[in-house]
Amino acid sequence: MAAADARGTELGRYLKARRAQVRPEDVGLPAGAGLRRTPGLRREELAALAGVSVDYYIRLERGRETNPSPAVVDALGRALRLRGDAFERLHELAELAFGRVSELPACADHTVRDSVLRMLESMRPLPAYVVSRHNRVLAANPPGRRLLPGLWDWPEEQRNLTRYLFLHPVGRTLYEPWEETVAHSVAHLRAVAGADPDDPELTALVGELLLKSQEFARLWERYDVCERGGGQKSFRHPNVGRMTLTYEVMRLARTGGQRMVVYQAAPGTADEEAMLRLEPAPGRWEAVASAGREEEPVTEPLVPRPSVATAP
């Protein structure tokens, strides 16, 4: 299939998935008598709400119409009750379908710059790590590694946060509520996939999770999209107990989508006490890439922390 057709099909998948999540009563339509064979809105109902013909909408959903005007896209977004990232994603997919956006995101870079590793080290005792645009963990400082117990038992190429959430026994119990955390993780992958659906690493990850996790398959089918920029997460950590931490997400330039995630807690709280117990003894560990050693007792000389200049 040609690239334009593939992108048009991705737009159609998005429309179909979002249409299935809108009930007639949500948009002021009668539910009607009897069972509805179609979950959510029917095609003709959405077309009427958006002010387009049924034939046009069907072509759009099937990827045969790849040039919707911005006004039509806006109307469809309003009819589907899309907000925020979900509304923006509809416009992005329409741009890709028509070819108005010809460049897909830069290839994901799995090499973490030395300057970023030094930043991770300077964050201590705050847990921090770097992930790729597909949620693969590329580097972490020591408390960041300890925040995700068991992840480092996996080979480097398997250390993906979304895989960890669904397939690792600790990942399935670490977050509270687990359901909310995994929903956001899947929504992020959906946002990435919308712009680059044929990425080999993403395709392999999604294929594995669709095969091994019914929960992932259900959330993937919903086609929710979300780009998280920070928030709050609650943990039931096997080593330090319960804690609720805020986190910030910082995009790293010229990396093909790498993000640094940093956690913190309010000073003087029980949450901060629990978080600080993730920090090893001073001077023992440095920020390391995922391929580095696990934080177990070692026989080689200890590596001192690099000196980092602080602002006056």
Side-chain angles (χ1 to χ4, degrees), residues 27 71 73-83 87 90:
V27 291
V73 177
D74 282 343
L76 288 168
R78 289 192 297 269
L80 291 168
R81 301 168 64 87
L82 301 182
R83 301 289 187 275
F87 190 84
L90 179 62

Side-chain angles (χ1 to χ4, degrees), residues 235-243 274 277:
F235 296 83
R236 185 171 58 186
H237 199 280
N239 299 324
V240 303
R242 282 183 163 85
M243 58 183 174
R277 290 198 292 272

Side-chain angles (χ1 to χ4, degrees), residues 176-248:
E176 295 182 319
W178 178 82
E179 294 80 4
E180 179 180 326
T181 301
V182 296
H184 286 306
S185 187
V186 175
H188 169 78
L189 284 186
R190 262 302 189 186
V192 172
D196 196 3
D198 299 322
D199 182 279
E201 181 179 352
L202 180 63
T203 300
L205 174 65
V206 171
E208 176 190 0
L209 292 175
L210 287 173
L211 181 65
K212 295 180 179 179
S213 172
Q214 292 183 352
E215 296 105 327
F216 178 86
R218 176 179 57 82
L219 291 169
W220 188 254
E221 186 66 23
R222 284 180 57 86
Y223 215 138
D224 291 331
V225 294
C226 180
E227 293 280 4
R228 298 302 297 274
Q232 180 174 284
K233 287 183 182 178
S234 295
F235 296 83
R236 185 171 58 186
H237 199 280
N239 299 324
V240 303
R242 282 183 163 85
M243 58 183 174
T244 297
L245 305 178
T246 59
Y247 67 97
E248 296 294 335

Side-chain angles (χ1 to χ4, degrees), residues 47-64:
L49 288 168
V52 299
S53 71
V54 177
D55 288 342
Y56 179 86
Y57 178 77
I58 290 175
R59 294 198 306 274
L60 198 61
E61 192 171 284
R62 291 178 177 175
R64 297 173 182 170

Side-chain angles (χ1 to χ4, degrees), residues 47-168:
L49 288 168
V52 299
S53 71
V54 177
D55 288 342
Y56 179 86
Y57 178 77
I58 290 175
R59 294 198 306 274
L60 198 61
E61 192 171 284
R62 291 178 177 175
R64 297 173 182 170
E65 172 58 57
T66 59
N67 188 22
S69 69
V72 167
V73 177
D74 282 343
L76 288 168
R78 289 192 297 269
L80 291 168
R81 301 168 64 87
L82 301 182
R83 301 289 187 275
D85 290 336
F87 190 84
E88 292 179 12
R89 179 58 54 184
L90 179 62
H91 272 279
E92 289 171 359
L93 289 174
E95 294 285 305
L96 284 168
F98 184 56
R100 283 185 286 261
V101 177
S102 58
E103 294 183 2
L104 294 175
C107 293
D109 189 349
H110 292 159
T111 301
V112 181
R113 295 193 294 263
D114 288 344
S115 59
V116 175
L117 293 177
R118 289 194 294 270
M119 287 177 63
L120 283 176
E121 184 63 25
S122 72
M123 294 291 179
R124 294 173 66 175
L126 302 182
Y129 50 77
V130 173
V131 293
S132 73
R133 75 170 185 250
H134 304 133
N135 288 338
R136 177 172 162 182
V137 182
L138 305 176
N141 65 12
R145 290 165 70 88
R146 291 186 170 191
L147 184 66
L148 304 169
L151 177 66
W152 314 99
D153 298 336
W154 283 350
E156 176 186 357
E157 65 276 6
Q158 296 292 310
R159 295 172 191 166
N160 182 283
L161 285 179
T162 308
R163 179 185 286 112
Y164 177 72
L165 284 167
F166 284 98
L167 302 184
H168 197 288

